[in-house]
Amino acid sequence: MSLLFSYRHLYYFWVVAKEGGMVRAAERLGMAVQTVSTQVRELERSLGHTLLRPAGRGLALTEAGLAAMRQAEQIFQLGEQLPAALREAIGSPVVRLTLGVSDALPKLAVRQLMQPVMQAPGLRLLCHEGKFDDLLGDLALHRLDVVLADRPAPANPNLKVYSHSLGSSPLAWYAPPAWKTAALENFPRSLATVPVLLPTGHAAVRTALDLWFERLGIRPHIVGEFDDSALLKTFAASGMGVFPAAELVQGELASRYGVERVGACEGAAEHFFAIAADKKVLHPLVWMLVAGKVMATSLQAKP
């Protein structure tokens, strides 16, 4: 690769610009003023533009100088990070896992599902949340190592991704203190009168909930529907109403949101999947995730 200019000359220019003059720059660099001036003029000659102009007793940047300074700032800031990057590279080995999380998946469940890999030595986790279809596209392009979702990938011959079941968790109903007594009275019929918060159809579990209500002949008193499960729980905890959630996270629901279980949602469950771009050659931590899958039936909280 041929260079049109010297990075050493660029560095001298950068110091002169930051110090505001040749004399102060020469003092900082421990060089003669004439030497620094010559190096900067050489940079201007190689670039074909004047970078500095006299301004009072010092120097100021020209328009070309401002553009050069912006680039120089980025270049030398990166250079300052190089020693730390090398120390990291030759230190403890780092295993990066780039994870996509479907925005319909409950965030408390994600932490539980990730338990098999969280203690892996040298783990560096890069976590991205997004829409299910967008994440599958990134996975197919190998921008992600794995996607966690509440549904398997759809059959698509143009999308080479593979779904691995991580198990499922029964659903239950939870209530903040303000609605616990009313929800418990004649449950689950009480859901026709107490305020109910539900996930939107964006979440796969909504279909299971709608079928559960239909099977029991209950018309729920819905006061809120949410795409984001964490937002749903936040509103519920504030006293807005009762809501369904996987029993897998019952303990964390109680400790974090102060809600209590009021009854089972029998026959309805939330399912969890790890979706990878290669069926056989998996990232080692994805193998660990799939092999050590969290089966919610063994972890579910007891009523």
Side-chain angles (χ1 to χ4, degrees):
M1 178 179 67
S2 61
L3 295 177
L4 298 177
F5 64 92
S6 164
Y7 279 91
R8 184 183 64 202
H9 297 162
L10 181 65
Y11 177 70
Y12 294 149
F13 158 74
W14 179 63
V15 174
V16 170
K18 291 179 77 70
E19 295 296 330
M22 292 289 180
V23 174
R24 288 192 295 273
E27 290 174 353
R28 174 175 167 180
L29 293 167
M31 300 171 65
V33 174
Q34 183 62 36
T35 302
V36 175
S37 176
T38 300
Q39 301 289 340
V40 173
R41 285 200 302 271
E42 182 62 28
L43 176 66
E44 291 177 324
R45 187 195 63 76
S46 62
L47 293 176
H49 294 279
T50 299
L51 304 178
L52 297 164
R53 60 177 175 79
R57 295 186 177 181
L59 296 169
L61 293 166
T62 64
E63 288 299 319
L66 286 170
M69 186 61 180
R70 284 193 293 268
Q71 296 298 315
E73 285 281 6
Q74 295 182 45
I75 290 168
F76 294 118
Q77 283 176 9
L78 287 172
E80 289 172 355
Q81 297 169 16
L82 180 60
L86 293 178
R87 286 195 298 272
E88 179 183 312
I90 64 175
S92 300
V94 173
V95 182
R96 287 179 172 79
L97 179 66
T98 307
L99 171 70
V101 177
S102 171
D103 56 4
L105 195 65
K107 305 309 175 290
L108 293 180
V110 173
R111 197 174 73 82
Q112 294 273 21
L113 295 169
M114 290 297 294
Q115 282 304 311
V117 304
M118 292 308 296
Q119 301 306 315
L123 172 65
R124 175 72 62 83
L125 182 64
L126 288 81
C127 193
H128 302 278
E129 183 185 11
K131 296 186 181 301
F132 182 62
D133 291 341
D134 293 342
L135 293 175
L136 292 185
D138 286 340
L139 182 66
L141 293 172
H142 300 283
R143 294 172 181 160
L144 300 171
D145 295 314
V146 65
V147 169
L148 294 184
D150 60 349
R151 69 198 75 186
N156 185 340
N158 298 317
L159 197 62
K160 300 299 183 182
V161 297
Y162 303 90
S163 303
H164 305 268
S165 174
L166 298 181
S168 62
S169 172
L171 293 174
W173 289 91
Y174 298 86
W179 291 106
K180 179 186 175 184
T181 300
L184 283 170
E185 186 176 347
N186 195 30
F187 177 85
R189 299 292 167 186
S190 59
L191 299 178
T193 54
V194 300
V196 171
L197 308 183
L198 292 175
T200 66
H202 188 59
V205 75
R206 178 60 186 268
T207 300
L209 289 165
D210 288 343
L211 290 173
W212 183 79
F213 281 123
E214 183 179 342
R215 187 167 65 249
L216 295 181
I218 298 172
R219 185 176 181 180
H221 176 42
I222 302 172
V223 298
E225 298 179 72
F226 299 81
D227 277 343
D228 185 271
S229 63
L231 192 61
L232 184 155
K233 295 174 179 65
T234 299
F235 274 86
S238 72
M240 189 175 179
V242 302
F243 66 99
E247 293 203 61
L248 172 67
V249 296
Q250 180 175 321
E252 290 192 76
L253 285 174
S255 62
R256 183 173 300 189
Y257 295 100
V259 298
E260 296 185 50
R261 185 181 186 277
V262 295
C265 189
E266 294 183 3
E270 184 141 30
H271 298 271
F272 310 109
F273 294 87
I275 306 172
D278 196 302
K279 190 174 184 179
K280 296 180 179 179
V281 185
L282 293 178
H283 185 292
L285 293 186
V286 178
W287 270 118
M288 190 182 298
L289 178 66
V290 173
K293 56 189 175 181
V294 178
M295 296 301 294
T297 49
S298 66
L299 294 176
Q300 69 185 42
K302 301 300 181 182

